[in-house]
Amino acid sequence: MALNTGRFLKVNLSSGKIETEIVPEQVAVDFVGGRGYGIKYLYDELSPNVEPLSEGNKLLLLSGPLAGTSALASSRWMVCTKSPLTGAFARSVGGADFGAWLKFVGYEFIVIEGRAENPVYLHLTKEGCQIQSAGEIWGQDTKATQRWLTQRYGKSTRIACIGPAGEKLVKYAAIVSGRRTAGRCGTGAVMGSKNLKAIAVTASRSVQLHDRVAFNQLAREQASVVRENKVFLNHKEWGTTRTQNITNEIGIYPALNFRYGQQADYQNITGEEYRKLRTGEFGCYACPARCGKAHRVKAGPYKGAYSEGPEYETIWAFTGTTDTTSREATIAADELCDDLGIDTISTGCTIGFAYELYEKGLLTKADADGLELNYGNHESMVVLVKKIANREGIGDLLAEGVARAAATIGKGAEAYAIHVKGLELPAYEPRGAKTQGFNYATASIGASHCFGYSGQDVFGAIVPRPSDRFAEEENADLVVYNQDNTAWKETGIVCSFASNWGWIPSLFGKMLVAVRGIDELVNDDHLLRVGERILNLERAFNVREGFTREQDTLPQRMLTEPLHTREASGEGQVVRNQDKFLDQYYQIRGWTKEGIPTLEKLKELGLNQVMSDVAVKAKSS
Ligand code: SF4
């Protein structure tokens, strides 16, 4: 039986050239798929120091090897590019069923190059790819865009698109499919900069597998393991809508722009309270969890607002940041973010930054277009979401993200800009969950919770060992473990929730072999090595772009200001030993003191092609 390494499509929007290529076997062995293919091709294809919103940047939309199959929770899709927010490697993951459709039409991934002269969209079928005018949908929100394309191409069509925010190059614009987003790092702005409104895929359900009989047997085993798994059953019931109960109780729910680790009156925003507004549930392709819990507002100023969320991060983004506990406002803000196409985490964090500047007098009512940004004011928060997405008034400044906005404002505003490498922090307070915090500091993409989630700190996970969540350099091994494990699972592209449902150790590798026909993929050590290879290549990408140890840092607030936790533990915590942590982390990784992969490490991982790039940087550091 033939190996199944995957095909990819290259579309150059400047020249109109469209090509199809097959992934070579050695690339499939070394990088497997998904995030592995993403960094491999981005590193090889992208010239260094390209301006992220220029014609020279490339945008990769990837499915994983298991996408479109009956494997549970493994049909998510990913975007890799150079981020306009950070200037570093970007990887952002989306849900719904676009990943499956990409596979149905015959591609592992698409590489978008160049820039169209006028707005366009791509239409992919088994017959090929057409570049079409997007004149009629440019300016439309993501709902209207998807409706228009579905009417044109029928119900067997799935779409990934941008909203007005992507068109207006909001630095944290998202790519949206259905109501799920690849939100982080500004991938939607890169798509907008290419004048690309949407990618529509019309296909019937079929995928190529190396060994269908073996695969079907494994998929049945996976379903029976998952069905009984307690973590799965809990996730199916609640999604992430109860995480704020836990993070508030243990004092790591960031409030008032990361001054507090517990929100006052958080009892108003528990999962149980959201449950009262729940109207339905939604999931991704081939996932029985259906963890997207939909909510509708029945009365009051946001009456009629409806979102397929908010999930934990978004609940936080529109409560803890502005010290409001209006569940209705979070639903309205979430709906707007999905419609207009912006990342809820960066949007909420940026609004929280603006509220603190207002409190400190660094932003006035006049600066804020007449809005009062006092804590608790959720009406202004919702207005700001619209202003940011449309770059109206103060929204134009905030659309740049906290790091750039602070630099523009000056007067010490930088002290209140909560980001790592330019990416705004998500909903876990680093001083109370330090393994998670140091993951932010060292993640290739900036402050991402998913990049190496510390289940040890947050949920008391005991694999590979429990953590003391206030320990620092002592937990460097856990940060490495969490990041590498996430990287190889994202070759899948397995949903991060599903990796805790009991099937990964015994079945994931075997499923990869049944799909690809590459025997090495069954070996745990091989997969762990793939994860490490991905991390090192992402690091080499960033080193080539000029990143060093200096950017591996948490915001000043975490290093100098004691955390307040109200009634929870962790009062007074500060990150004391970031330097010691970095020394330890780099040593475990086999990197220099400056955080540059050593030539020995690159050789050991078979990354010989990047050795010369890294050697130049190592010499100059
Ligand atoms: S657990 Fe939720 S996010 Fe993950 S694949 Fe299933 S429905 Fe999608």
Side-chain angles (χ1 to χ4, degrees), residues 394-411:
I394 189 176
D396 191 36
L397 174 67
L398 300 180
E400 291 295 300
V402 293
R404 286 182 180 81
T408 303
I409 294 165
K411 300 179 276 186

Side-chain angles (χ1 to χ4, degrees), residues 35 439 442-444 451-452 476-485 487 528 531-536 538-539 582-592 595-598 600-602 604-605:
R35 182 162 149 199
N439 163 59
T442 53
S444 319
F451 194 89
D477 62 315
L478 286 180
V479 178
V480 171
Y481 175 90
N482 293 336
Q483 292 177 344
D484 286 357
N485 269 272
L528 196 52
E532 193 185 3
R533 184 175 295 119
I534 290 169
L535 254 295
N536 275 268
E538 290 173 358
R539 186 72 179 192
L582 288 177
D583 288 344
Q584 186 67 18
Y585 175 89
Y586 293 159
Q587 194 188 350
I588 296 170
R589 285 232 169 267
W591 296 352
T592 68
I596 299 174
T598 58
E600 294 73 31
K601 176 52 76 178
L602 293 172
E604 180 194 317
L605 294 169

Side-chain angles (χ1 to χ4, degrees), residues 484-532:
D484 286 357
N485 269 272
T486 303
W488 66 254
K489 287 170 190 164
E490 285 189 344
T491 62
I493 303 166
V494 175
C495 172
S496 55
F497 303 121
S499 63
N500 299 316
W501 297 347
W503 63 283
I504 292 268
S506 57
L507 294 171
F508 178 60
K510 288 180 193 165
M511 284 176 143
L512 291 176
V513 175
V515 171
R516 290 263 189 257
I518 296 169
D519 291 337
E520 287 94 323
L521 306 187
V522 79
N523 183 326
D524 287 351
D525 290 340
H526 179 82
L527 290 178
L528 196 52
R529 187 45 67 102
V530 169
E532 193 185 3

Side-chain angles (χ1 to χ4, degrees), residues 73-74 76 95 180 235 282-284 287 289-292 495 497-498 501:
S74 305
R76 287 167 69 80
R180 300 273 178 147
H235 194 65
F282 296 84
C284 305
C287 181
R290 296 168 65 78
C291 78
C495 172
F497 303 121
W501 297 347

Side-chain angles (χ1 to χ4, degrees), residues 123-139:
H123 184 222
L124 273 61
T125 64
K126 282 275 188 195
E127 281 68 54
C129 170
Q130 291 187 320
I131 304 173
Q132 302 278 13
S133 167
E136 286 187 59
I137 43 177
W138 196 255

